[in-house]
Amino acid sequence: MLIVQKYGGTSVGSAERIKEVAKRVAATHDAGRQVAVVVSAMSGETNRLLGLARQIAAHPDERESDVLVSTGEQVTVALLAMALKELGYPAFSLLGHQVQIATDSAFGRARIKHIKADRLLSALREGHIVVVAGFQGVDAEDNITTLGRGGSDTTAVAIAAAAKADVCEIYTDVDGVYSADPRICPHARKLSRISYDEMLELASLGTKVLQIRSVEFAKRYQVPVHVRSSFSAEEGTWLVPEDPSMEDVIVSGVTSDLDQAKITLLHVPDRPGLAAKLFSPIAEDNVVVDMIIQNASADGFTDLTFTVPKGDASKALAHVKAAAPEIGAAGVAFDADVAKVSIVGLGMRSHAGVAARMFQTLAREGINIQMISTSEIKISVVIDAKYTELAVRVLHDALISPAQ
Ligand code: ASP
Ligand code: MG
């Protein structure tokens, strides 16, 4: 049996913690398993390095930025391999390019293209514990790349897929995936299992337990992923392929995302080509537009509203203001005090009336819905940011588990 274990930043946040991780890895090895371990940088380290870069340059060179931030993981693989050797285990570290984790050249957000796991696999077969640096890869020109924030999750799942591991365990500082953020919602409960598709929705809608690309990998290669705490021995949440019984649960999770800003174009003439004219420059500037709403026009004019991540709002707004006169819009409105609150569940496919119950629940609290979007297994609403926590709580209690 082959296990890939990934330990996040808080799990390797100090020398003491690294020694604890070494003991857990050693115990897995003692149980007769082959173990590959993927680690993140010590908590806070990636931010510290990015901060240093910003003291040198307002927009640090992207290639050099990856050379810099990848050092965080180089430190932890070395320390963990040392700790395992201290305990008497045959361990050694491999960096991304040594594995080899081949990526494209999009510095700071590179995508894994393939993994040549021969060296890793033969070392595992010989009984070694291999400690792999998360977050980093190498492009076709031998440049160091990184996979985006939280990218060690993706390294771990990709390694598990390439090595055909039996399970990928993600050790973190929470003990699993919850039906809502327990800090907001006292009745939130730990999910014992969740389908890849539900987790994909939750991850993209604001639940920060796993990097979304890691879930995409898990789904594509059907890797069972076990998200659990490195601070306890308890079972966490299993990410697994869907089975029919999962549709019995109508709503699995409620999540919120405050990283939203809303832009509205008022009184836009309803003519072909205007949306294309508006959104093309925004797309060319690499801004990801989330929800878009356009009304049916009554008198040949319509309003058009969309949301973007807060960090991209000023870029998007500049494009909209430039396009507005050309398009013939009467004006532009902007609101950054909004949140997206979403419910997710496979059961929505087969159960009617979930949206109505969601809207009734919000109405009872006097929460106004500004935008709505749906997919097969989720419903999202945009509301005033100040009601975010209330909305999550009441939706959780109404649709998942009632207050005791
Ligand atoms: N160290 C990187 C980060 O902080 C990657 C990771 O921890 O997954 O984003
Ligand atoms: Mg993480």
Side-chain angles (χ1 to χ4, degrees), residues 6 9 40-41 46 73 135 148-153:
K6 181 258 173 177
S40 293
T46 308
E73 275 72 12
F135 185 49
R149 299 309 303 270
S152 300
D153 295 336

Side-chain angles (χ1 to χ4, degrees), residues 6-9 39-47 50 69 72-73 134-136 146-155 211:
K6 181 258 173 177
Y7 293 89
V39 286
S40 293
M42 296 168 96
S43 55
E45 178 63 5
T46 308
N47 286 337
L50 288 169
V69 293
E73 275 72 12
F135 185 49
Q136 43 175 268
T146 65
L147 308 179
R149 299 309 303 270
S152 300
D153 295 336
T154 301
T155 306
Q211 196 195 36

Side-chain angles (χ1 to χ4, degrees), residues 122-193:
S122 60
L124 290 171
R125 270 195 300 272
E126 287 159 13
H128 293 280
I129 298 171
V130 187
V131 186
V132 176
F135 185 49
Q136 43 175 268
V138 61
D139 75 1
E141 276 80 51
D142 271 346
N143 297 303
I144 292 175
T145 56
T146 65
L147 308 179
R149 299 309 303 270
S152 300
D153 295 336
T154 301
T155 306
V157 177
I159 292 264
K164 302 199 171 48
D166 297 279
V167 53
C168 179
E169 295 184 327
I170 305 275
Y171 284 93
T172 170
D173 50 2
V174 294
D175 53 6
V177 180
Y178 275 74
S179 55
D181 185 339
R183 286 166 303 186
I184 299 180
C185 185
H187 305 116
R189 50 188 161 82
K190 188 169 77 187
L191 305 170
S192 55
R193 55 184 200 140

